[in-house]
Amino acid sequence: FSALVEQQFSKWRLTLWNDINTTAMEDDTKAFQKDVKTLPKKIREYEAFKGLDDSVKNFLTSVPLVADLRSPDMRDRHWSSLMSATGKDFVIDGDFSLDSLLALELHKFEDEVGEIVDCAQKEAKMEVSLGKLDVTWAKVEWYMMKHKDTDIQTVKLGEEDFEALEDNQVLVQGMLANRYMKTFEGQITGWHKKLMTVADVNQILSEIQRTWAYLESLFIHSDEVKKELPEAAARFKSIDNVVKGILKEACATKNVVASACKEGLFKELEKQQSELEICEKALADYMESKRR
C-alpha cells in the first residue's frame, strides 16, 4: 500500500504546472488518508507507516496551497515573495511542474502562502477598480447651461456624475485603508487627490456662480448701484472677468478631472469667492442704509 501511494505521488509530481488538477489530487489523497487510518494498529507502529502518514498529511496540506497559488491573480512580484518566504529560487517556465513547487516544502509555509495569495487577490481587485476609475473619469464632462442671454455657459457636475464621484471617493478611501495598497500607492493617492479636488472645485464653483449671477444684475446692470458703490462695482467687474474666463476655460477643456485639477485653480476660486463676499457686504450695507 505504501508503495502504491508513493507511486501515485511520484506520478503527480511530474505533472506540469498548467496541467495540475488539484481537486482530483486532493480527493484521492483524502481517500489515501482514510485508508491509512484503517490499517491495523500493529502496522501503525512501524517507521514505514509513520513516514507514509507524514507524506499523506504533508501532501494534503500542500495541495490546497498549490490550488491557491494557481490563482490567475498571481504576478511575478508574488512569486518573488514566495521565494523569499521559502528561501528557495525557482523559474516558472515550460518545465515547471508540481514537483518544482513541492520542493519548496509548502506544508511548512501554510500561513505565508495564504498571505501571499490573499495579497495577490486583493491587489487584483484594486487593479481592476483603478482601471475602472481611469475609464470612467476619462469620459466625465461638465454639464453646461447657457447663462441668461450671453455666450457664457455655467458648469456643474451632472447628477449621475456627482453620485459616481461620491461612490468613487468611498471606493478610494477603502483602498487607502487596505494593507495591501503599497503596490498601487501612487495611483490610489493620486485618485484620492483628484476626486477630492473635483468635489471641492464643483462645490466652490456652484457657490461662486450662484453669487456671481445674483450680483451681476446689480453691479453690472444697475446704474444706481454702480453710482453709489463705485469701488465695489469696480471690484465686481474684475471678478466678472475672472469668473467668465474660468468658465470659458472649463467649457473648452470639458473633461472634469483635467479642468478641476488645473494647477492653481482652486486657490483662484477661493480668492474670487472672498472678493464676492466683499461685494456682497458692501451691497448689504448700502441696502441697510437705504432702509434707515
Side-chain angles (χ1 to χ4, degrees):
F1 178 74
S2 176
L4 183 67
V5 172
E6 288 298 343
Q7 186 182 4
Q8 181 60 71
F9 285 173
S10 296
K11 185 180 175 184
W12 283 339
R13 284 190 173 93
L14 296 175
T15 311
L16 292 177
W17 182 241
N18 292 328
D19 301 328
I20 294 172
N21 183 342
T22 52
T23 303
M25 288 179 183
E26 189 169 7
D27 289 345
D28 287 350
T29 306
K30 282 179 180 175
F32 288 150
Q33 189 179 48
K34 190 176 179 182
D35 290 340
V36 166
K37 287 179 180 176
T38 61
L39 290 172
K41 189 175 180 181
K42 189 176 180 181
I43 294 177
R44 292 188 211 173
E45 294 172 2
Y46 295 137
E47 284 299 319
F49 169 80
K50 290 177 181 175
L52 174 65
D53 192 41
D54 287 343
S55 288
V56 172
K57 283 179 181 175
N58 292 343
F59 202 88
L60 203 52
T61 302
S62 298
V63 170
L65 302 179
V66 171
D68 290 343
L69 290 170
R70 281 173 56 78
S71 166
D73 300 329
M74 290 288 288
R75 303 285 184 269
D76 287 346
R77 61 181 178 272
H78 305 122
W79 289 112
S80 295
S81 296
L82 183 62
M83 290 183 212
S84 297
T86 60
K88 295 177 183 176
D89 292 338
F90 55 88
V91 178
I92 299 180
D93 54 19
D95 296 325
F96 192 72
S97 64
L98 179 62
D99 191 45
S100 310
L101 205 55
L102 294 180
L104 304 177
E105 299 180 289
L106 291 179
H107 58 277
K108 294 180 180 178
F109 303 100
E110 195 170 356
D111 292 341
E112 289 85 347
V113 171
E115 176 77 10
I116 289 165
V117 173
D118 187 42
C119 174
Q121 291 170 342
K122 295 289 197 316
E123 285 183 354
K125 285 182 182 177
M126 283 189 273
E127 195 169 10
V128 169
S129 296
L130 289 167
K132 285 180 180 176
L133 286 174
D134 288 336
V135 171
T136 298
W137 290 97
K139 298 177 189 170
V140 177
E141 297 182 350
W142 290 113
Y143 178 74
M144 304 172 199
M145 295 155 290
K146 186 176 172 64
H147 175 60
K148 299 177 181 176
D149 293 323
T150 70
D151 61 347
I152 297 297
Q153 305 237 58
T154 56
V155 300
K156 69 174 185 176
L157 267 180
E159 194 173 322
E160 285 185 13
D161 294 329
F162 184 76
E163 287 175 8
L165 174 64
E166 291 185 318
D167 290 344
N168 289 168
Q169 281 185 295
V170 172
L171 174 72
V172 172
Q173 285 285 3
M175 286 194 274
L176 277 172
N178 194 308
R179 65 194 182 104
Y180 297 126
M181 63 89 77
K182 190 165 182 62
T183 299
F184 302 108
E185 187 172 1
Q187 289 169 264
I188 295 168
T189 54
W191 273 113
H192 176 64
K193 186 178 179 182
K194 284 177 192 174
L195 296 180
M196 193 164 60
T197 301
V198 167
D200 290 344
V201 166
N202 183 63
Q203 175 68 26
I204 197 170
L205 256 180
S206 173
E207 294 165 3
I208 285 173
Q209 288 175 124
R210 189 165 52 246
T211 306
W212 163 73
Y214 163 65
L215 294 179
E216 181 188 40
S217 58
L218 297 167
F219 283 110
I220 299 293
H221 303 299
S222 169
D223 291 335
E224 181 192 347
V225 172
K226 284 192 280 188
K227 181 184 174 185
E228 296 295 329
L229 301 170
E231 188 179 328
R235 185 185 297 275
F236 185 81
K237 189 174 182 182
S238 174
I239 296 167
D240 186 57
N241 287 333
V242 174
V243 169
K244 284 177 179 176
I246 289 171
L247 292 177
K248 281 180 180 178
E249 190 165 341
C251 291
T253 305
K254 293 184 180 179
N255 181 267
V256 168
V257 172
S259 172
C261 295
K262 183 192 168 193
E263 187 71 32
L265 175 63
F266 187 72
K267 279 191 176 181
E268 183 60 51
L269 289 170
E270 284 184 314
K271 179 185 174 185
Q272 296 311 314
Q273 189 172 48
S274 296
E275 292 288 290
L276 281 170
E277 286 170 1
I278 294 170
C279 292
E280 273 189 299
K281 187 177 187 309
L283 183 65
D285 290 346
Y286 169 65
M287 299 298 281
E288 181 63 29
S289 69
K290 282 189 72 176
R291 279 197 287 269
R292 286 178 191 150

